[in-house]
Amino acid sequence: MAPLYTFTPGSTPLLINVPHCGTGLPDALRARLTPAALALPDTDWHVEKLYDFAPALGAGLMAATQSRYVVDLNRDPEGKPLYPGADNTELCPSRTFGNDAIYLDGSTVSAPEMAERRRLYWQPYHDRLTAELAAIKARHGYAMLLDAHSIPSVVPRFFEGRLPDLNLGTNEGRSCAPDLADAAYRALQRDAAFSHVHNGRFKGGFITRHFGQPHSGLHALQLELAEVSYMDEARPNPYDPARAAPLITVLRGLVQALLAWRPA
């Protein structure tokens, strides 16, 4: 089986995790997917590239290699919805963000197959993430996790209108210390060219909510980027270095703000 992630260790309390940038598909699964799904439209395109600078600052960087259509690493393993009452995607999604069928026969993933994918893909990834955060906390006395994501700026299935460029989520303030959230949000406000919101449509997925235990010295934040802020959203979703450069400056400021923070 192909490696489930790439990992660059850090020397600071910060780990950056990119769970939705993977594009890998097992051959048996690829053969079952619709043309719409084979384009992998719900990938968090190029997000790991945006944070290329982070290891040089001492942050660890972990990035998934497998597509979220194999298993969604940012969903509850028991299938609990992130946003009760809203349209939620599953641990093993059956429809794209654009509401196209993922499987040729229009099916959903059976419970036994979902359990197997969880065992083979979801659990090892989370075991590594858990172990690294525990090691960081043992070295520094606390750990910070920045869960890095992106999404098209317009997705009617999930939200009306255009998404702000920078969407910080801290599970309504429960996943990290308040002053850490404040420092992060201030960093995101430094370039007036980018719109921003804190705990708006995206408040943090399973990873942020599960690992964010500030009372135990584990602080987690999620940043969801509107893809239009750094790339062409039309297929084949090319990375735009000129468009991305101002955003990378903002992200560098965010990482520096997180690294400068110390728990009270």
Side-chain angles (χ1 to χ4, degrees), residues 76 83 85 92 143 177 205 218:
D76 187 288
Y83 301 100
C92 295
L218 294 173

Side-chain angles (χ1 to χ4, degrees), residues 244-260:
L247 176 62
I248 291 173
T249 297
V250 171
L251 296 178
R252 181 183 292 272
L254 169 64
V255 169
Q256 290 172 329
L258 297 179
L259 293 175

